[in-house]
Amino acid sequence: MNLNILVIGSAGQDGSYLVDRLDRAGHDVYGITRSGLVLPNKEQSRDCNIESMPEVASVISEVSPDRVFYLAAYHHSSEEKEAGEGSIIRRSFAVHVLGLVNVLEAFAASCPKGRLFYAASSRVFGS
């Protein structure tokens, strides 16, 4: 069965391995990276900021995924060496909560029979 699959965080280590595996299995795999939407032919399509509900809703509606893998993550240890705790918490919240809520709302509205996998971050749980 050929599925439309959306991998959010497709440029990361886990996302890139997942995209390759799903692609080899014959699925139509779309990705969302910090640079935007990536089509199954690996071409960049347009911007998609997961913190923007209208952009997320537009992509979900267009792709109509059967499955979504939410692998987006904010890695404070590798992204901002001098970030203060408040900044780390705000970025973590934006990626791990706000982005996820936007995807969940858009996915439920456009693809009510679809399935979503969320790979949580340790930052969700605090210290």
Side-chain angles (χ1 to χ4, degrees):
M1 175 167 78
N2 186 27
L3 300 173
N4 275 354
I5 298 176
L6 179 62
V7 179
I8 300 166
S10 61
Q13 180 178 354
D14 294 342
S16 62
Y17 287 138
L18 180 61
V19 166
D20 287 342
R21 182 177 179 140
L22 294 169
D23 187 48
R24 282 194 313 270
H27 301 295
D28 292 327
V29 184
Y30 298 80
I32 293 180
T33 69
R34 289 183 189 157
S35 302
L37 178 65
V38 180
L39 302 175
N41 62 6
K42 309 286 192 256
E43 289 185 22
Q44 204 73 23
S45 173
R46 60 185 160 92
D47 291 341
C48 181
N49 179 354
I50 60 172
E51 296 173 40
S52 167
M53 181 58 183
E55 288 182 30
V56 169
S58 175
V59 165
I60 297 278
S61 176
E62 176 185 328
V63 171
S64 191
D66 301 293
R67 305 285 185 270
V68 171
F69 291 86
Y70 193 94
L71 308 178
Y74 171 71
H75 301 286
H76 69 282
S77 61
S78 63
E79 294 184 30
E80 293 184 35
K81 300 291 184 200
E82 304 299 321
E85 188 68 18
S87 175
I88 291 169
I89 291 169
R90 278 189 289 283
R91 283 302 304 144
S92 292
F93 181 83
V95 173
H96 300 285
V97 178
L98 179 59
L100 177 64
V101 168
N102 288 339
V103 171
L104 287 169
E105 285 184 12
F107 193 50
S110 292
C111 310
K113 293 186 179 194
R115 304 245 173 134
L116 183 136
F117 173 81
Y118 173 49
S121 165
S122 65
R123 290 300 295 183
V124 172
F125 304 105
S127 300

